[in-house]
Amino acid sequence: MAIRYFIPDWDDRVDPTYNFSADLHTEGRDPYRDDTYAHEIFDTAPYDGILMSLATLDQRLSKRRSILDAGSVHRYLRLPIDGKHEVLGDCGAFTYWRDEMPPYKSEQVLEYYQKLGFNLGVSIDHLIFAEIASDKERRWQITIDNAEEFLKLHRSGRYTFTPIGVAQGWDPPSYRRAVQALVKMGYNYIAIGGIVRTPTPDIIRMLSAVKPELPAGMGVHLFGVSRPEYAHVFAGLGVTSFDSASRLRRAWLDGRRNYFIGETAYTAVRIPYAGTIAKKRSLSEGETIELERRALVAVRAYDAGEASLAEALRAVEEYDAIALDLSLPTKRDYARTLREAPWKQCPCAICKSIGVEVIIFRGNNRNRRRGFHNIWQLNQQLQSGRQRLASEAELATQLAFSP
């Protein structure tokens, strides 16, 4: 089965007609009505679905009302109406992991998933981290008890979404016990949580322990784990879907790995807004704006073949000297990015439409577009893995029936 990718929803949208030269938003723009999601920019959505958490909607009741007004979470997110893109709901266990008990009840969560029109809904879990290892057995049991109640109520009600039971644990045997329990309850789709911090070899060991317990056709979701270079390994161990915002967020949260071509990462060129820098550092606004202007002009000129690499780097460094902490990106990082010009190699709609602006670290409309590019690249990697798995399966079938 092909592994599917869900992107967590954090209202990641951009102004589709943003003026990069003047750094101006579209006049009269309404952020929700007019801004676009990644799946509205690319010809094909760069993910198979979206994950939305109950905890985030509890923090923003206006968003919940907007979803109800739209008629469903699917319509609110403006996902393609093709039956292929689903919305997965969970409780957002990271928001309450320090609490003694989850703040939700199964009846409440079931109604929430149904009323808002989710395609898939996850039972209530309680995370188990090293900081609370002494409480691990109790949390494990809470998660299992909630899964059992969730499925019983789902079966007795008129719920149309697919129920997913969560397995929590702290080592391969504890996860295996959890999966055994979920399978015995009758789940056809399970999710494995609490592994965001877990090293890849440990995840593989855990999945290897779990795999013998999985019936044919069982769906298995990994929470918060992408690691696309291991997607084919995970798929071979029974994983059918995962969610992660890592590649998206790295566009603006990582110190150096901001722009991806496959597994190759580049540092975005930081040219922050001069007005903010001048106020923060008590600098002359006029001088700061002039250095900012020179940096932007130089990078654009270099991209157009009208300035040398040395000239572009000099202008960026002069601005960085007053604007940034130089302990993060270095001259070598910037030189590699500009010299290799990866945005010119990428065929995605973002790079084709805004060119060098995608590599400039500066505000939401560049940074999130760079994140959209990253998840498009991630999806390309996953598509390649799917094709490889399909080819391997076809070859195995041919060998099995060859004389």
Side-chain angles (χ1 to χ4, degrees):
M1 186 182 292
I3 194 165
R4 299 192 300 159
Y5 170 42
F6 288 79
I7 184 78
D9 170 61
W10 290 102
D11 297 318
D12 292 300
R13 298 186 294 266
V14 295
D15 181 347
T17 53
Y18 186 79
N19 185 328
F20 290 97
S21 297
D23 270 313
L24 291 174
H25 282 288
T26 303
E27 189 175 352
R29 150 185 167 270
D30 176 86
Y32 171 70
R33 183 194 65 210
D34 301 319
D35 285 7
T36 53
Y37 293 97
H39 53 265
E40 296 179 292
I41 292 176
F42 299 102
D43 290 338
T44 302
Y47 32 74
D48 299 289
I50 294 178
L51 168 68
M52 187 179 289
S53 295
L54 172 56
T56 63
L57 294 183
D58 278 353
Q59 294 164 4
R60 294 185 56 196
L61 295 179
S62 61
K63 184 171 180 176
R64 187 185 296 202
R65 286 193 295 270
S66 295
I67 293 172
L68 290 171
D69 290 343
S72 73
V73 66
H74 203 284
R75 291 178 181 174
Y76 172 84
L77 293 167
R78 305 196 291 265
L79 276 167
I81 306 173
D82 55 9
K84 298 178 182 178
H85 297 84
E86 297 184 309
V87 187
L88 166 66
D90 77 347
C91 296
F94 271 98
T95 64
Y96 58 77
W97 74 269
R98 293 180 183 275
D99 297 346
E100 186 76 7
M101 295 288 292
Y104 305 113
K105 299 296 181 185
S106 292
E107 298 93 335
Q108 172 190 7
V109 174
L110 284 158
E111 290 301 317
Y112 150 71
Y113 292 148
Q114 185 68 24
K115 192 173 183 179
L116 298 186
F118 283 81
N119 304 104
L120 306 158
V122 178
S123 62
I124 305 165
D125 59 328
H126 214 10
L127 291 169
I128 302 169
F129 289 143
E131 298 93 319
I132 45 178
S134 61
D135 197 29
K136 60 188 180 184
E137 286 288 355
R138 188 185 70 87
R139 286 169 174 256
W140 186 95
Q141 193 63 52
I142 286 171
T143 301
I144 290 298
D145 290 344
N146 280 329
E148 185 171 19
E149 181 183 40
F150 187 81
L151 187 59
K152 284 181 179 178
L153 291 171
H154 184 278
R155 286 171 170 170
S156 64
R158 295 182 178 179
Y159 300 108
T160 56
F161 65 87
T162 299
I164 299 177
V166 185
Q168 288 288 348
W170 56 90
D171 60 10
S174 62
Y175 276 106
R176 184 169 184 168
R177 281 194 293 126
V179 170
Q180 286 173 335
L182 295 171
V183 170
K184 187 176 180 180
M185 289 174 202
Y187 276 100
N188 296 315
Y189 207 142
I190 64 170
I192 297 176
I195 55 174
V196 173
R197 306 175 180 179
T198 306
T200 300
D202 291 342
I203 292 177
I204 292 173
R205 279 190 284 271
M206 178 271 292
L207 291 173
S208 298
V210 163
K211 190 175 189 301
E213 308 302 326
L214 303 175
M218 172 71 79
V220 179
H221 184 86
L222 293 187
F223 272 125
V225 175
S226 60
R227 309 185 197 182
E229 68 273 31
Y230 291 96
H232 67 288
V233 177
F234 294 160
L237 292 171
V239 175
T240 59
S241 62
F242 72 94
D243 69 89
S244 175
S246 174
R247 286 288 176 89
L248 176 70
R249 296 285 181 262
R250 281 186 174 182
W252 62 89
L253 293 179
D254 199 287
R256 287 191 172 91
R257 296 167 60 83
N258 309 122
Y259 177 100
F260 284 79
I261 298 288
E263 285 299 307
T264 303
Y266 293 87
T267 301
V269 179
R270 286 150 171 78
I271 308 177
Y273 291 106
T276 303
I277 297 301
K279 289 178 182 177
K280 187 181 293 185
R281 306 225 170 178
S282 300
L283 300 169
S284 162
E285 188 169 350
E287 182 181 350
T288 307
I289 289 173
E290 177 57 22
L291 289 172
E292 172 200 44
R293 185 192 68 78
R294 289 179 191 173
L296 288 168
V297 168
V299 168
R300 290 166 179 161
Y302 170 75
D303 178 60
E306 298 169 357
S308 68
L309 176 61
E311 290 171 324
L313 286 172
R314 187 182 309 116
V316 170
E317 283 185 292
E318 286 177 355
Y319 187 45
D320 277 6
I322 66 167
L324 296 173
D325 176 0
L326 292 179
S327 65
L328 287 177
T330 65
K331 181 178 180 180
R332 181 179 295 178
D333 294 324
Y334 285 164
R336 173 175 172 261
T337 296
L338 293 172
R339 183 175 57 252
E340 296 186 19
W343 62 91
K344 292 186 176 182
Q345 308 166 27
C346 180
C348 86
I350 297 289
C351 295
K352 288 293 185 184
S353 63
I354 70 170
V356 71
E357 302 295 335
V358 75
I359 208 69
I360 297 175
F361 196 118
R362 179 182 173 85
N364 177 71
N365 278 285
R366 291 178 180 83
N367 295 346
R368 269 193 171 74
R369 277 179 169 85
R370 186 166 56 254
F372 290 173
H373 152 88
N374 287 345
I375 57 177
W376 184 88
Q377 281 283 332
L378 170 59
N379 193 51
Q380 295 302 298
Q381 289 181 265
L382 294 172
Q383 293 289 355
S384 297
R386 288 167 181 160
Q387 292 167 8
R388 179 169 59 180
L389 286 171
S391 298
E392 290 173 354
E394 182 179 355
L395 177 61
T397 301
Q398 291 173 356
L399 291 173
F401 288 95
S402 61

